[in-house]
Amino acid sequence: IPAEVGMTLTQGDIISTGVDSWAYLSLAGTDTASVELDAGSEMLISELIMDEEAGTQQTLLDLAIGKILITAQKIHSEDSKFQVKTPTSVVGVRGTTFQVEVEAVE
């Protein structure tokens, strides 16, 4: 379905951007992050779990193709994780700004 400003996404949702489009996601929780998807990207929100009692959050973004820019706040709990998976790697971060790009295999 077409995205709308303010739309809520959950675990299992796939975000695809067209040739002349982009998307900005705000992942609010105990450890806030933002994700910018460039044109021609496809990303699955594989894991998005927040345990308010424990103060932990588990985030796993699966980038199939395209480019994303992530700005993640410092993770304060050792039990929290923020990871980005690509077809060839898994990157875990503790708080920083970074870019991940997956190109099509020919």
Side-chain angles (χ1 to χ4, degrees):
I1 61 172
E4 297 178 11
V5 174
M7 175 182 260
T8 300
L9 300 173
T10 60
Q11 183 172 298
D13 286 345
I14 297 173
I15 300 96
S16 296
T17 54
V19 176
D20 293 322
S21 63
W22 56 273
Y24 177 85
L25 309 175
S26 178
L27 304 177
T30 55
D31 301 308
T32 304
S34 65
V35 180
E36 296 178 42
L37 284 88
D38 275 3
S41 298
E42 183 173 301
M43 182 185 77
L44 165 67
I45 301 174
S46 292
E47 196 171 296
L48 190 59
I49 302 168
M50 189 169 91
D51 184 340
E52 291 183 24
E53 268 186 40
T56 62
Q57 185 170 343
Q58 311 297 320
T59 304
L60 175 60
L61 305 176
D62 189 345
L63 181 63
I65 193 153
K67 184 174 15 175
I68 59 175
L69 175 67
I70 297 172
T71 303
Q73 300 298 318
K74 182 168 175 51
I75 293 177
H76 297 289
S77 169
E78 288 294 319
D79 294 329
S80 290
K81 71 176 181 178
F82 190 103
Q83 297 178 315
V84 177
K85 179 182 173 190
T86 71
T88 58
S89 66
V90 176
V91 177
V93 297
R94 303 297 297 169
T96 190
T97 298
F98 66 102
Q99 182 172 297
V100 179
E101 184 171 4
V102 175
E103 296 179 351
V105 177
E106 296 192 25

